[in-house]
Amino acid sequence: MAFLKLLLSTIACMAILVSLAYATDPSQLQDFCVATSDPTKAGLDVPANTNNRLGSGVTLVNPMNLAGLNTLGISVARLDFAPYGLISPHTHPRATEVFTVMEGTIYVGFVTSNQANGGNKLFTKVLNKGDVFVFPQGLIHFQLNIGKTPAVAFSGLSSQNPGVVTIPNAVFGSDPLISVDVLSKAFQLDVGLVKYLQSKFSTGS
């Protein structure tokens, strides 16, 4: 009996260790990228252009412009916002994002998926200078400058190629366009409104 208890206890401990091992990040492929002798990138002190319809701009640092990041599984971005500028709802399919406000007041949020009741819960927060927020991998999220002055934030991403899917652009601006019948039924919108939205987001608009 004592042996059986010891055996079950040992198996339970092994199961915990295995689950902990799978919960950690995978190891990087190598110590550093051998393709470069200069693991530096200048220019993140320069604001991105926010003179666009959303009033925001992103400067991404990844292996395409900093070879030293190759194989290390991380990237970083500077996010600039004009007053009331928005970074549209989007997802990063391959990365969790840690968002830090450097200047301004930014309203942020993300939407959960796969809730037990089938719903989608929205988590939001108003962030000020020095505040940090996390957007879990793959979840739809957004950032909005709610201040009257420009805002700046930096994001760390847990992939060298996080990817980005901007929801309005993908849904209403694909090439070729998604069928109006599909979108009108999916979003319960009038056909005319769907066509209007497609005209706003389609290539060249």
Side-chain angles (χ1 to χ4, degrees):
M1 190 68 169
F3 174 76
L4 181 58
K5 286 183 178 180
L6 178 61
L7 179 61
L8 291 174
S9 176
T10 302
I11 291 172
C13 288
M14 290 176 65
I16 291 170
L17 289 173
V18 168
S19 66
L20 289 174
Y22 278 111
T24 61
D25 289 338
S27 297
Q28 61 196 47
L29 298 178
Q30 56 193 38
D31 292 337
F32 60 91
C33 179
V34 297
T36 180
S37 58
D38 184 15
T40 60
K41 168 77 169 74
L44 282 190
D45 58 325
V46 179
N49 180 19
T50 59
N51 185 24
N52 51 61
R53 64 185 179 186
L54 294 178
S56 65
V58 177
T59 306
L60 179 64
V61 180
N62 62 18
M64 298 298 292
N65 52 31
L66 177 55
L69 285 176
N70 190 36
T71 76
L72 299 185
I74 57 171
S75 53
V76 68
R78 171 180 172 141
L79 300 86
D80 288 282
F81 302 81
Y84 310 110
L86 169 72
I87 294 184
S88 284
H90 63 283
T91 69
H92 301 296
R94 292 179 292 278
T96 290
E97 176 180 356
V98 179
F99 180 87
T100 305
V101 178
M102 306 304 293
E103 295 291 342
T105 303
I106 303 176
Y107 171 67
V108 302
F110 68 85
V111 181
T112 65
S113 63
N114 299 320
Q115 295 292 290
N117 63 2
N120 297 282
K121 184 172 178 59
L122 173 65
F123 289 87
T124 63
K125 189 76 173 178
V126 174
L127 305 179
N128 296 297
K129 183 177 180 178
D131 288 343
V132 180
F133 193 85
V134 63
F135 302 106
Q137 179 175 341
L139 298 187
I140 295 174
H141 59 283
F142 61 85
Q143 299 104 355
L144 172 68
N145 178 8
I146 58 175
K148 297 180 180 179
T149 58
V152 182
F154 280 86
S155 285
L157 298 130
S158 62
S159 171
Q160 70 178 48
N161 182 22
V164 62
V165 179
T166 305
I167 309 305
N169 298 34
V171 172
F172 295 106
S174 63
D175 183 17
L177 294 173
I178 297 173
S179 165
V180 171
D181 295 332
V182 171
L183 295 181
S184 62
K185 188 164 188 176
F187 289 94
Q188 297 293 290
L189 296 174
D190 179 77
V191 168
L193 181 54
V194 171
K195 290 181 177 178
Y196 171 76
L197 290 170
Q198 287 180 328
S199 72
K200 287 291 185 181
F201 288 98
S202 61
T203 304
S205 63

